[in-house]
Amino acid sequence: MARKPGSRAEITGPRLRDAALRLFARDGYAAVSMRQIAAEVGVQAGAIYLYTADKQTLLFELMQDHMDALLSAWADSTPPLGDARARLQHFARFHIRFHAARADAVFIAYMELRNLTPENFATVEALRKRYETELETILRAGQDEGTLAVPDTKLAAMALIAMLTGVNTWFRDGGRLSRDRVEQIYVDMVLKAAGARA
Amino acid sequence: MARKPGSRAEITGPRLRDAALRLFARDGYAAVSMRQIAAEVGVQAGAIYLYTADKQTLLFELMQDHMDALLSAWADSTPPLGDARARLQHFARFHIRFHAARADAVFIAYMELRNLTPENFATVEALRKRYETELETILRAGQDEGTLAVPDTKLAAMALIAMLTGVNTWFRDGGRLSRDRVEQIYVDMVLKAAGARA
DNA sequence: ATTGTCACTGAACGCTCGTTCAGTTCAACC
DNA sequence: GGTTGAACTGAACGAGCGTTCAGTGACAAT
């Protein structure tokens, strides 16, 4: 039977995700124990298994949810109808904003890939690839229509994503540069690296 | 007393470094046990402690050695005497070549930073910062002399290094693109991103 | 008041971890 | 050929790991 709001079950589930996300991001999957996660939620270790099959599944679902959120946010982002140069600018802006808002999940999603079982890795990797292809499609269109100039679209897609995702390794709110300023600079560098006409 | 060449001591030491490097890179520091490393060297776990104080020190020394090698290779690389644009091209080429030759050490040096004790982290971080400053100096010079155009030299240095180091996450010899071709494309993108005159 | 359900506890399982150390082996020296 | 000393073994230490599960207690439904 369904419990009333405020009963424990409706709190522990989401809190487990949050705690695992934060701890995995801070200390790494292998270094965080189920007992630590449980303590963070305010529960004994055994209780966790009411909400996840095992530690591996917990990690996998965090990563899968992140990638799903990324792809569906991109799908909802209504790119401009203009040329590929404008769409590349839109992509760069979207990428930085989305990733800045979820630093923990981003960090996990590419630091903990090697801790996934082969099956889980393949699933997450496929989602990552789909996102990469979105950028590559823009680059190829720009190459074709002449608004962008990249020697190799596949390689450029990976290089640009690496550069953009790199923001997360150093950016902190309240630093020397504002979030908007950083975004502006990165977008500018991406456009130049992709050979966009000035 | 010194042993003759061929005795065991002169083999186990270097082999330990190699094994630890390979295993840490493949499975991650936290996931590799001292027993696994020992087995890879062909020795019992206890014997490792004749060559390193503990697991943490082993990781730290691998990272420190890598950063030392990077900085001294850069110091020996005799950059061109020309303008900053030429020096940036030299830096990009150097970075890609050095990193391509040591994929394992590179991977460890930035994936395992969080597994260092605070003191060890500070030491390695300082070395990393010194390398970053080398690039920033070039960018600032280019900005001053007008051969490069970057809105913020500190930020650009981090972004360009992130892009360049990203090669290692996907490049494998024998793939679609040759090592030289990849190097050429990346150097080209770095120059464009830094606003070099064509 | 009784029953049923469900979140959760707390102890236990077998296992692996990093590290230590008394003992063994063996090449090099006198 | 006896002594030395370094390289290495193998067993042990205490601790922590992921996971299981019988039991507890609070609440909802009857």
Side-chain angles (χ1 to χ4, degrees):
Chain A
M1 286 294 153
R3 293 241 170 177
K4 282 198 174 167
S7 70
R8 285 166 295 177
E10 316 208 354
I11 292 177
T12 302
R15 297 227 320 164
L16 170 62
R17 299 302 200 89
D18 285 358
L21 194 76
R22 191 168 53 252
L23 291 177
F24 285 165
R26 202 189 60 188
D27 301 327
Y29 173 76
V32 174
S33 73
M34 294 301 259
R35 273 169 254 261
Q36 281 173 54
I37 299 172
E40 192 84 358
V41 181
V43 119
Q44 292 296 316
I48 289 186
Y49 291 87
L50 296 167
Y51 301 95
T52 191
D54 50 32
K55 197 187 178 190
Q56 164 70 206
T57 303
L58 184 53
L59 173 65
F60 170 62
E61 287 176 352
L62 289 178
M63 295 178 62
Q64 194 181 32
D65 286 357
H66 171 69
M67 293 308 300
D68 283 345
L70 173 65
L71 286 166
S72 76
W74 170 248
D76 292 347
S77 73
T78 58
L81 295 172
D83 58 16
R85 186 194 184 285
R87 290 208 302 283
L88 175 59
Q89 183 169 31
H90 169 76
F91 179 92
R93 221 183 281 283
F94 165 83
H95 186 96
I96 289 191
R97 286 186 190 173
F98 186 90
H99 284 66
R102 303 155 188 253
D104 283 353
V106 171
F107 196 62
I108 290 172
Y110 100 114
M111 287 289 273
E112 305 297 357
L113 279 170
R114 66 168 146 201
N115 287 311
L116 292 173
T117 61
E119 300 78 24
N120 288 343
F121 175 81
T123 302
V124 172
E125 181 65 9
L127 295 173
R128 212 191 49 73
K129 195 80 193 163
R130 258 177 51 196
Y131 183 65
E132 204 172 278
T133 303
E134 295 290 322
L135 172 56
E136 204 208 328
T137 301
I138 295 174
L139 295 177
R140 204 194 324 266
Q143 184 73 16
D144 290 347
E145 76 190 22
T147 55
L148 301 175
V150 288
D152 187 278
T153 52
K154 263 191 177 29
L155 189 154
M158 292 186 289
L160 296 179
I161 286 177
M163 187 169 85
L164 286 171
T165 306
V167 192
N168 275 36
T169 65
W170 60 268
F171 181 76
R172 298 292 174 269
D173 269 315
R176 184 171 59 89
L177 299 166
S178 74
R179 197 181 276 238
D180 282 352
R181 178 83 180 115
V182 169
E183 176 185 309
Q184 182 189 3
I185 295 176
Y186 267 88
V187 169
D188 176 61
M189 280 197 296
V190 164
L191 286 174
K192 283 198 292 195
R197 303 156 305 160
Chain B
M1 287 293 151
R3 294 237 170 179
K4 284 198 173 166
S7 71
R8 285 167 295 176
E10 316 207 354
I11 293 177
T12 303
R15 296 227 319 166
L16 170 61
R17 299 302 201 88
D18 286 358
L21 194 76
R22 191 168 53 251
L23 291 177
F24 285 165
R26 201 189 59 188
D27 300 328
Y29 174 76
V32 174
S33 72
M34 293 302 257
R35 275 169 251 262
Q36 280 174 55
I37 299 172
E40 192 84 358
V41 180
V43 119
Q44 291 298 315
I48 287 185
Y49 291 86
L50 296 167
Y51 301 95
T52 191
D54 49 33
K55 197 187 178 190
Q56 165 71 205
T57 304
L58 183 53
L59 173 63
F60 171 62
E61 287 176 353
L62 289 177
M63 294 178 62
Q64 195 180 32
D65 287 357
H66 171 68
M67 292 308 300
D68 284 344
L70 173 64
L71 285 167
S72 77
W74 170 248
D76 293 348
S77 73
T78 59
L81 295 172
D83 58 16
R85 187 194 183 286
R87 291 208 301 283
L88 175 60
Q89 182 168 33
H90 169 76
F91 179 92
R93 221 185 281 282
F94 165 83
H95 185 96
I96 288 191
R97 284 187 191 172
F98 187 89
H99 286 65
R102 302 155 189 254
D104 283 353
V106 170
F107 196 62
I108 290 172
Y110 100 114
M111 286 289 273
E112 305 296 357
L113 280 170
R114 66 169 148 198
N115 287 311
L116 293 174
T117 61
E119 301 79 25
N120 289 343
F121 175 80
T123 303
V124 172
E125 182 64 9
L127 294 172
R128 211 190 48 73
K129 195 82 193 162
R130 260 177 51 197
Y131 183 65
E132 203 170 279
T133 303
E134 295 290 322
L135 172 56
E136 204 207 330
T137 302
I138 295 173
L139 295 177
R140 204 192 327 265
Q143 184 73 16
D144 290 347
E145 76 190 23
T147 55
L148 300 176
V150 287
D152 186 279
T153 53
K154 263 191 176 32
L155 189 154
M158 292 187 289
L160 295 179
I161 286 178
M163 186 168 83
L164 286 170
T165 306
V167 192
N168 275 36
T169 64
W170 59 267
F171 180 77
R172 298 291 174 269
D173 269 315
R176 185 170 58 90
L177 299 166
S178 74
R179 197 181 276 237
D180 284 351
R181 179 80 179 118
V182 169
E183 177 187 308
Q184 181 189 3
I185 295 176
Y186 267 88
V187 169
D188 176 61
M189 280 198 295
V190 163
L191 287 173
K192 283 197 292 195
R197 304 158 305 163

